[in-house]
Amino acid sequence: MAQTDIASPVADGMVHATKVGLVRVLGPAHVWALGVGIVLVGEYMGWNFAVGKGGAYAALIACWFAGLLYSCVAMIDSEVTSTVAAAGGQYTQAKHIVGPLMAFNVGLYLVFAYTMLEAANALTVGFLMETVAAMAGHEGLNPQPFIVLSILFLAWLNYRGVLATLNFSLVITAVAFVAILILFLGTAPWSDATPLRHAELMTDLPYGWLGVLAAMHFGLWYYLGIEGTCQAAEEVRSPARSLPFGTLAGIMTLVIAATLTWYVCVGLMPWEYLGQSGVPLFDAARMTGSTALLVLLGVGTLFATLASANGCINDASRAWFSMGRDHYLPAWFGAVHPVYRTPYRSIIFLVPIALVFALGAPLDQVVTFSILSGLLGYTFMPFNMIMFRRKWPLGSIKRGYVHPMHPVPAIVLILLCAVTFFAVFLGYGTQLIAMVVFYIVASLWFHLRRYRYVKRADQFTMPWPKPQGY
Amino acid sequence: MARYRPPAQSKLGQIVDVIVLLALTFGALYLPLYMGLAGRTASPSPQENPTWESLGQNEAMVERWNALGYADPTAAQDIITSRFDYSFGALSLIVMVVVVVGYFVLMFRLSDREYREVIAEKFGRE
């Protein structure tokens, strides 16, 4: 059995193109904050488009099935990431298990899922400011300066250092999560005076069971990004303990938050309004008639979007950095800042892409691009897991964590991914085709042109034995 | 096996590659949105003189619409009557399946070809 100290700052499984490496300073709470911090915004905006696609009950069914999908993702990710603990997360996994082209694609999935999510977050900040201004009597506030400022401020924070960035995320994520709990308690579901009117506001399935399938599209938004915990693998003090703990605790947190969010929102608003709302939890707080809850959920929405955008910049830049370091992209991106030790060039480069989509595309479409990139990544995971166990069966290498019931999670995941592709096809088929065509063209570009700059043997840096079957 | 030595990429080559990636991103993803060729297919079915009753809204729903700032059913009807069109042809479904499955088949086949080179060089010389 090959013994690997995956926590070692020296033998961390990566060949460094730069003399300065990333710093191992993060614990399980940071991993939890990184995962939940990116995702919690899904409760504050975006998930409710599932209500629009299938009705209130469809959104709940989608919420739980998406929870199952992400539980499979977390189980698979925990095993592979705790064994391949290096920056880039799934990108580095794909490089070692499937091959360079797949790794290039996975890197792009991560970058686009997170960059589009960042754009969606900035859009929500702008929309929140516009709504609050209108409530204060200032109709027609231009949201664009707020969108630009949030992206630039968070990019600067990420430029300055990962520990400060994730500490910032930890605090504001906790506030945003507590705000959801307080809103639930504030509606007092057990009391006769509750403003919740589920019996009167909820209707049958407006699209029948086809709508339930369609709702899976935005059902993913409740959890999208939890796999981002892997991106910090090279900066975690004890990956074998922290990554599974942080990721699985994150999933549990999100299932609870998602169910509470659905329960409160569908009991306070007609489904037709909820299905297109830009800030559903803030709107829910408005319906309670409590000024304190209104302020709290306004702050919660702001904090959740900032925490999410913060984590997105962190993750997208690390995936881009890893690809630059391996020459999958121009090597210029593979540099670490000599003082702050962050992938500063990647952070700066992705800012204009986020800005263009945040300033020029509607929220549901930006969200769909993010979901599609995430979905392609989830479809890769079960194949990755099966190949991982086949190429290095249990006992052949040291694993940080072994997930139970293999291959059941992989099979369930692939089935749920197939359902979700169909769900996106219902209503957003053009974007699905556009996104896949984008990846096909990018892949051909990589295979036919870019791959010539890649050092072959350097793509396999883990101290593992030769994979079986090769 | 002889170790593959990749050519050094010039600065101009690096800039060209970045431009290609940006062109792909904006060309394939942003332009269809910008030109209105992609997006949600939900559309409203407005009524001539809508009432809350004709829009299927009960007392509790009307109260919430009012609280949300929609005092008039005419203002709310576009939201209330908006529906997705989920009808689709077999051909478009088949195209979607072929594109997605074909993409993954392409990925795994080409990746495996590259991976064999990586493994051969990595373990062939050890």
Side-chain angles (χ1 to χ4, degrees):
Chain A
M1 176 189 288
Q3 297 294 322
T4 311
D5 178 8
I6 55 179
S8 163
V10 179
D12 61 2
M14 297 292 289
V15 171
H16 294 291
T18 52
K19 288 178 180 170
V20 182
L22 302 171
V23 196
R24 289 190 181 277
V25 290
L26 308 178
H30 293 109
V31 174
W32 175 88
L34 181 61
V36 178
I38 290 174
V39 186
L40 194 65
V41 72
E43 327 301 333
Y44 279 89
M45 64 93 173
W47 70 270
N48 53 303
F49 295 142
V51 177
K53 280 196 88 176
Y57 285 116
L60 181 64
I61 297 169
C63 165
W64 287 342
F65 272 95
L68 178 62
L69 183 152
Y70 280 92
S71 297
C72 297
V73 166
M75 287 170 77
I76 289 173
D77 239 9
S78 294
E79 173 166 336
V80 187
T81 307
S82 64
T83 312
V84 190
Q90 290 89 355
Y91 158 76
T92 308
Q93 300 171 13
K95 204 168 58 167
H96 285 86
I97 298 167
V98 183
L101 178 61
M102 191 75 240
F104 173 71
N105 275 265
V106 170
L108 287 185
Y109 301 157
L110 294 166
V111 169
F112 280 96
Y114 290 123
T115 304
M116 295 295 169
L117 175 49
E118 177 194 343
N121 288 321
L123 267 167
T124 306
V125 169
F127 188 73
L128 179 68
M129 292 302 169
E130 201 179 358
T131 307
V132 171
M135 289 169 65
H138 302 285
E139 292 280 353
L141 178 78
N142 182 1
Q144 293 192 340
F146 298 98
I147 292 172
V148 175
L149 270 178
S150 3
I151 290 177
L152 291 182
F153 168 70
L154 293 172
W156 171 78
L157 203 59
N158 272 274
Y159 184 100
R160 289 298 301 265
V162 66
L163 186 59
T165 302
L166 291 184
N167 279 334
F168 172 72
S169 273
L170 186 62
V171 173
I172 60 180
T173 298
V175 171
F177 182 65
V178 169
I180 294 177
L181 295 179
I182 292 177
L183 176 65
F184 174 73
L185 296 173
T187 58
W190 56 87
S191 151
D192 290 340
T194 178
L196 298 173
R197 293 281 180 275
H198 289 97
E200 294 95 333
L201 293 177
M202 292 188 67
T203 63
D204 292 337
L205 294 169
Y207 297 99
W209 286 98
L210 192 60
V212 176
L213 278 181
M216 267 300 279
H217 170 187
F218 289 109
L220 260 60
W221 200 245
Y222 283 109
Y223 313 94
L224 193 133
I226 185 68
E227 69 280 9
T229 51
C230 309
Q231 301 305 312
E234 205 174 325
E235 291 152 275
V236 169
R237 284 193 298 269
S238 170
R241 186 176 69 90
S242 301
L243 288 172
F245 181 83
T247 308
L248 292 170
I251 280 282
M252 287 178 224
T253 307
L254 291 169
V255 170
I256 294 167
T259 306
L260 291 181
T261 300
W262 176 89
Y263 180 79
V264 170
C265 287
V266 300
L268 288 169
M269 285 172 275
W271 75 269
E272 296 96 331
Y273 180 85
L274 180 59
Q276 54 80 59
S277 170
V279 280
L281 273 173
F282 182 67
D283 284 333
R286 284 167 65 193
M287 294 299 95
T288 63
S290 159
T291 307
L293 283 177
L294 185 70
V295 172
L296 181 64
L297 269 293
V299 170
T301 303
L302 188 64
F303 279 12
T305 47
L306 290 178
S308 173
N310 195 29
C312 286
I313 295 171
N314 182 78
D315 288 356
S317 61
R318 273 147 187 78
W320 198 259
F321 157 79
S322 298
M323 288 199 286
R325 191 163 65 172
D326 292 331
H327 294 207
Y328 288 20
L329 295 173
W332 186 79
F333 292 114
V336 175
H337 194 284
V339 177
Y340 303 125
R341 303 178 78 179
T342 51
Y344 67 113
R345 289 177 182 164
S346 301
I347 291 169
I348 294 168
F349 178 76
L350 293 172
V351 165
I353 296 178
L355 280 175
V356 165
F357 281 88
L359 294 173
L363 180 61
D364 66 319
Q365 295 176 25
V366 174
V367 165
T368 297
F369 277 142
S370 181
I371 286 174
L372 275 172
S373 285
L375 180 59
L376 289 166
Y378 307 144
T379 310
F380 144 79
M381 282 182 186
F383 295 107
N384 186 49
M385 184 68 227
I386 289 166
M387 291 167 86
F388 183 47
R389 287 279 183 109
R390 279 194 180 163
K391 291 179 179 179
W392 294 277
L394 293 181
S396 62
I397 56 172
K398 183 180 178 184
R399 285 166 159 84
Y401 169 80
V402 176
H403 85 67
M405 295 186 289
H406 176 78
V408 175
I411 293 168
V412 172
L413 181 54
I414 194 72
L415 290 175
L416 289 170
C417 285
V419 168
T420 312
F421 275 115
F422 181 65
V424 178
F425 170 73
L426 294 173
Y428 292 78
T430 316
Q431 275 149 300
L432 171 58
I433 300 292
M435 194 100 210
V436 178
V437 167
F438 164 77
Y439 282 113
I440 289 173
V441 177
S443 299
L444 291 174
W445 170 80
F446 176 84
H447 185 73
L448 300 174
R449 171 178 163 76
R450 187 71 220 171
Y451 187 52
R452 81 182 66 161
Y453 298 109
V454 175
K455 290 178 180 173
R456 307 310 198 234
D458 287 359
Q459 301 317 300
F460 195 102
T461 53
M462 297 302 291
W464 295 347
K466 193 175 182 180
Q468 289 191 7
Y470 285 81
Chain B
M1 182 181 176
R3 190 179 175 92
Y4 171 74
R5 295 192 183 281
Q9 192 180 25
S10 65
K11 281 189 178 166
L12 181 66
Q14 294 195 37
I15 292 168
V16 169
D17 277 357
V18 170
I19 292 171
V20 167
L21 278 170
L22 286 174
L24 263 178
T25 305
F26 293 119
L29 302 181
Y30 187 73
L31 268 187
L33 291 181
Y34 185 72
M35 296 169 71
L37 300 175
R40 60 188 275 164
T41 53
S43 51
S45 312
Q47 301 173 3
E48 234 173 72
N49 292 306
T51 61
W52 290 119
E53 291 74 25
S54 70
L55 293 171
Q57 303 299 294
N58 62 33
E59 201 178 316
M61 292 169 179
V62 174
E63 178 206 322
R64 297 302 158 95
W65 282 110
N66 291 339
L68 287 162
Y70 295 87
D72 180 1
T74 309
Q77 73 159 337
D78 276 1
I79 297 175
I80 295 172
T81 60
S82 182
R83 292 289 184 278
F84 281 92
D85 178 8
Y86 289 152
S87 59
F88 61 89
L91 184 64
S92 58
L93 181 62
I94 290 168
V95 167
M96 189 271 285
V97 171
V98 167
V99 168
V100 173
V101 172
Y103 163 68
F104 276 103
V105 169
L106 180 79
M107 279 315 91
F108 281 105
R109 285 207 166 174
L110 295 181
S111 289
D112 189 61
R113 201 183 296 170
E114 294 172 354
Y115 189 69
R116 285 181 186 280
E117 287 178 13
V118 169
I119 297 302
E121 190 175 300
K122 170 79 181 177
F123 293 94
R125 62 188 168 83
E126 286 184 353

